[in-house]
Amino acid sequence: MIKRKLGATAAVAVFALALSGCGAQSGPADSGETLKGDAASATCDAVDVGAVTRCENFYDDYWPEIDKQLDALYEEAKKADGGTLVIWDWYELSPDVIAQFNERFPDIKVETRGLTYNLSSAIISAKATGSRNTDVVSGSITSMAAMYDEGFWEKVDWESFGVPKEYLTIGAPELMPDSINGTLLQYNSEKVPSVPASLDGLLAPEYKGKVSVAGYNAVVFAGYGMAEGEDKMLDLIDELTSSGNLKLLEDQGAPLSSGDVPIALNQTLFNPNPALQVSPFEHAGVWAQFSGVNSDAKNKPGAALWTLWNAFDPDWISLRMTDERFASTQVPFAGLPAATFAEATGLMKTNSDALLLGLDTGAETETQKTRDDWQAMINAADKALNG
């Protein structure tokens, strides 16, 4: 499945330090000419959804042009590296996902690996040794910061492939938004019928021993820090832990499902237990996730093909919204029309409703301009949680 764990972590911070000894840059390396299409431009029927611009006319006026670009990219992708497309991510793609891609593009052979925390180091190693690398790169603005600065994101003019220019303002232009994720309160409604509207509310005595967070998931506090300041964030973490209200658990799922620890500070939910719910909260972080073309790719047309198909193909998006086989894919990008999300069912509806509500009510959102501030806040929260 396409299920990313994309909050920045201590592992990412360590990796960034490792890269600093290899001549880290302030921006992507120039790997040659920008990858371009020839789509006609359109005008966005724009609606603000928090920091995201939604184009309500996307499938009427933008998708037909993107669809033409997919046909052209497919012809080029079949010729590149024997039609092989390599995709590495935190988790390998499921056969069902690959089958949907191959239903439209049958002559592309997809090879996939799931590498979790070793993803970045595997990409670096492949380039260093001349081994076959992933064609597609992905991440949130902070989680892939080191990879971006080392030049692993090919310069792609996504607007020339038909993507609305309004989608390309949160991240750097070569970062193509394909989904959203964010920090949510997961809770077992059989044990706690509702959860507070803010993280401060979790300090109430009735939550003693009832809240968990994973040590690698310090990003859940970063939005609070960005809004209220680092000192207040650190005070909050200290009060939550010293009071005994917050437990540090690497496995939050089992205690959440059983109700032993019925509230989890986490992100989107992938457990079908009907008792489990998610809720946004004040100063939650909701951010875009991106895909792009690896500058070290052997099949760059194939990578662009995958990136555009995965983000926008209406048949694929509809399956993600309604078919439980794809419940663990991420919520599609909030810039897509409202009707796209209205059809959601099951876990996808649970997650998309919560994230979109978070955006509508003022969630904190990473941008390229605020990237380093977010990373500093995540690192401070990580130190407070883990020492």
Side-chain angles (χ1 to χ4, degrees), residues 321-346:
M321 301 305 285
T322 60
D323 191 323
E324 285 300 308
R325 289 180 300 161
F326 307 109
S328 62
T329 62
Q330 291 295 331
V331 174
F333 181 56
L336 296 180
T340 300
F341 301 95
E343 68 173 327
T345 60

Side-chain angles (χ1 to χ4, degrees), residues 36 141 154 224 239 243 252 285 340 366 378:
K36 290 184 178 181
I141 286 174
E154 180 81 0
Y224 184 99
E239 290 180 54
S243 67
Q252 296 173 277
T340 300
E366 300 171 347
I378 294 165

Side-chain angles (χ1 to χ4, degrees), residues 146-167:
M147 295 295 295
Y148 178 82
D149 288 349
E150 283 295 306
F152 280 90
W153 288 69
E154 180 81 0
K155 291 181 180 178
V156 180
D157 182 355
W158 292 113
E159 190 178 346
S160 74
F161 285 97
V163 178
K165 62 183 179 182
E166 290 81 1
Y167 289 6

Side-chain angles (χ1 to χ4, degrees), residues 31 35 77 80-82 84-88 123-124 126-128 130-137 147 151-156 158 292-307:
S31 60
L35 192 61
D81 198 31
T84 298
L85 176 63
V86 177
I87 302 175
W88 298 348
I123 293 172
I124 289 283
K127 183 176 177 64
S131 303
R132 183 63 163 89
N133 213 329
T134 180
D135 294 309
V136 176
V137 283
M147 295 295 295
F152 280 90
W153 288 69
E154 180 81 0
K155 291 181 180 178
V156 180
W158 292 113
V293 179
N294 187 352
S295 59
D296 193 42
K298 299 293 187 191
N299 194 340
K300 292 180 181 180
L305 176 71
W306 167 269
T307 297

Side-chain angles (χ1 to χ4, degrees), residues 49-249:
V49 185
V52 173
T53 299
R54 170 173 288 162
C55 294
E56 288 291 0
N57 59 327
F58 177 82
Y59 282 112
D60 291 329
D61 296 332
Y62 289 90
W63 171 250
E65 290 293 335
I66 296 173
D67 199 30
K68 293 177 185 176
Q69 304 298 306
L70 295 186
D71 290 337
L73 285 168
Y74 179 42
E75 293 305 314
E76 293 301 313
K78 287 190 291 185
K79 303 172 188 175
D81 198 31
T84 298
L85 176 63
V86 177
I87 302 175
W88 298 348
D89 210 323
W90 272 62
Y91 303 95
E92 68 179 29
L93 300 177
S94 77
D96 285 336
V97 172
I98 295 172
Q100 291 303 315
F101 179 73
N102 283 146
E103 187 171 299
R104 166 103 192 247
F105 308 110
D107 294 327
I108 303 297
K109 179 185 177 183
V110 178
E111 297 180 357
T112 180
R113 294 175 68 189
L115 293 155
T116 59
Y117 290 103
N118 296 315
L119 176 60
S120 295
S121 59
I123 293 172
I124 289 283
S125 177
K127 183 176 177 64
T129 61
S131 303
R132 183 63 163 89
N133 213 329
T134 180
D135 294 309
V136 176
V137 283
S138 60
S140 68
I141 286 174
T142 51
S143 73
M144 55 76 178
M147 295 295 295
Y148 178 82
D149 288 349
E150 283 295 306
F152 280 90
W153 288 69
E154 180 81 0
K155 291 181 180 178
V156 180
D157 182 355
W158 292 113
E159 190 178 346
S160 74
F161 285 97
V163 178
K165 62 183 179 182
E166 290 81 1
Y167 289 6
L168 306 171
T169 59
I170 296 176
E174 61 267 47
L175 310 182
M176 228 286 297
D178 64 8
S179 58
I180 56 172
N181 200 356
T183 53
L184 298 167
L185 287 176
Q186 301 179 355
Y187 65 101
N188 188 319
S189 61
E190 292 181 349
K191 300 295 182 179
V192 286
S194 63
V195 289
S198 70
L199 295 182
D200 297 284
L202 295 173
L203 292 168
E206 62 261 36
Y207 296 113
K208 187 175 181 67
K210 292 185 177 180
V211 188
S212 74
V213 68
Y216 58 77
N217 212 8
V219 69
V220 299
F221 292 102
Y224 184 99
M226 291 294 291
E228 300 290 343
E230 181 178 326
D231 289 344
K232 286 189 176 182
M233 179 190 73
L234 296 179
D235 287 344
L236 173 65
I237 295 171
D238 180 64
E239 290 180 54
L240 284 169
T241 54
S242 62
S243 67
N245 286 22
L246 181 68
K247 294 184 174 183
L248 202 62
L249 298 177

